Amino acid sequence: MKGLKIKYQNFHFENLLEVIKKKKTILVTGGSNIDFFLKKIFKNKSILNSKKCFFISDERVSSNELDTNYFKIEQLFKKKKKRIKFYRIISLPKNLITETNRYSSVVRNGMDVAFLSLGEKYHIASLFYNYPAIYSSQFTSITYSYDFKFLRISVNKRLLSKIKRIYLFINGKKRLKEFRTMIDKKLLDFYFNKKQQKKIIVIYKK
């Protein structure tokens, strides 16, 4: 988008930890971010013992719990005392639409901050610019991409528009190039409205 100025920062965990310490409601993504980001966040005792609320951005629909974000995140909490609340999406619900509507109600108030990432084929959370949602409630959607072969439940653009600040992880030079292509082709418009795009801070991790 002509005139769009994106803020770029190198990945410094300590800086992001300070951001989280000042916020009460936090949206987080899964995938590789669990290992290099959430794993460190949930080692911090002041975070674990706070009254913060964390929400997962998206989840695969799968009968194999090893495939899910929640299973991987749950392992981080084992044998740890915590006061934080972590809100999940059920990965194999009896009814997909019911679960999508339930989670929409859970996230309806939005969050103070979100930590998302740019994935393969330009996807963010489990939203795909080239595959329309199968079903959408107010703040969540059921999505599918032929590139990844999983049904998913994800927060949607309407929910993202309610978040005050978004940090977007870009992992490696290839993803950085893809992100710049997204800007040139205006693909960011699918995920964020123009006002929201100005609030994005890109966190580049080499």
Side-chain angles (χ1 to χ4, degrees):
M1 187 199 321
K2 187 176 180 180
L4 176 62
K5 293 182 179 180
I6 298 286
K7 295 180 181 178
Y8 291 85
Q9 297 178 4
N10 287 326
F11 179 80
H12 294 293
F13 173 75
E14 294 76 14
N15 294 344
L16 299 180
L17 180 62
E18 289 304 310
V19 171
I20 289 180
K21 285 181 178 179
K22 295 175 183 177
K23 306 299 181 182
K24 292 183 178 180
T25 54
I26 301 117
L27 182 73
V28 294
T29 191
S32 62
N33 298 311
I34 294 172
D35 291 327
F36 78 81
F37 182 60
L38 291 183
K39 192 173 183 178
K40 293 182 178 180
I41 291 294
F42 295 138
K43 279 184 178 180
N44 187 282
K45 290 184 179 180
S46 68
I47 297 293
L48 288 175
N49 293 322
S50 69
K51 294 183 178 180
K52 299 181 187 301
C53 296
F54 288 81
F55 302 81
I56 193 70
S57 63
D58 57 299
E59 187 60 273
R60 291 177 174 182
V61 176
S62 176
S63 59
N64 183 358
E65 67 174 7
L66 298 179
D67 287 331
T68 66
N69 287 325
Y70 181 72
F71 174 81
K72 296 170 185 175
I73 292 170
E74 192 179 41
Q75 305 310 300
L76 305 181
F77 296 137
K78 278 193 171 181
K79 299 180 180 180
K80 291 180 181 178
K81 293 181 180 180
K82 66 181 188 300
R83 294 178 69 192
I84 61 168
K85 292 184 178 179
F86 193 94
Y87 293 92
R88 65 175 294 192
I89 299 170
I90 296 173
S91 58
L92 193 64
K94 291 181 179 179
N95 186 299
L96 280 176
I97 291 177
T98 299
E99 175 61 11
T100 304
N101 292 339
R102 180 197 71 81
Y103 200 62
S104 178
S105 179
V106 169
V107 300
R108 67 185 183 277
N109 292 325
M111 295 87 190
D112 297 323
V113 65
F115 294 89
L116 303 173
S117 66
L118 177 63
E120 292 180 79
K121 307 288 185 180
Y122 306 113
H123 79 275
I124 296 174
S126 281
L127 302 177
F128 307 95
Y129 80 95
N130 53 344
Y131 292 98
I134 296 171
Y135 168 83
S136 287
S137 60
Q138 190 172 12
F139 299 114
T140 54
S141 297
I142 299 171
T143 65
Y144 181 80
S145 165
Y146 285 104
D147 295 316
F148 299 100
K149 311 300 183 183
F150 276 99
L151 276 169
R152 304 172 187 229
I153 297 175
S154 177
V155 299
N156 59 28
K157 181 177 179 178
R158 191 175 295 158
L159 186 279
L160 296 179
S161 71
K162 291 170 67 68
I163 299 173
K164 298 171 185 176
R165 175 66 72 186
I166 291 178
Y167 291 83
L168 185 67
F169 290 119
I170 304 290
N171 299 323
K173 291 182 179 179
K174 180 181 177 181
R175 286 284 184 276
L176 183 61
K177 184 178 180 181
E178 290 172 351
F179 180 69
R180 287 170 176 163
T181 299
M182 288 182 77
I183 294 174
D184 292 341
K185 294 185 176 181
K186 299 184 178 181
L187 299 184
L188 274 182
D189 293 354
F190 178 82
Y191 305 98
F192 309 106
N193 61 42
K194 288 178 172 56
K195 182 179 179 181
Q196 194 75 11
Q197 290 177 34
K198 295 177 182 178
K199 297 180 180 179
I200 294 172
I201 297 176
V202 168
I203 304 297
Y204 177 58
K205 184 176 181 295
K206 297 180 180 179

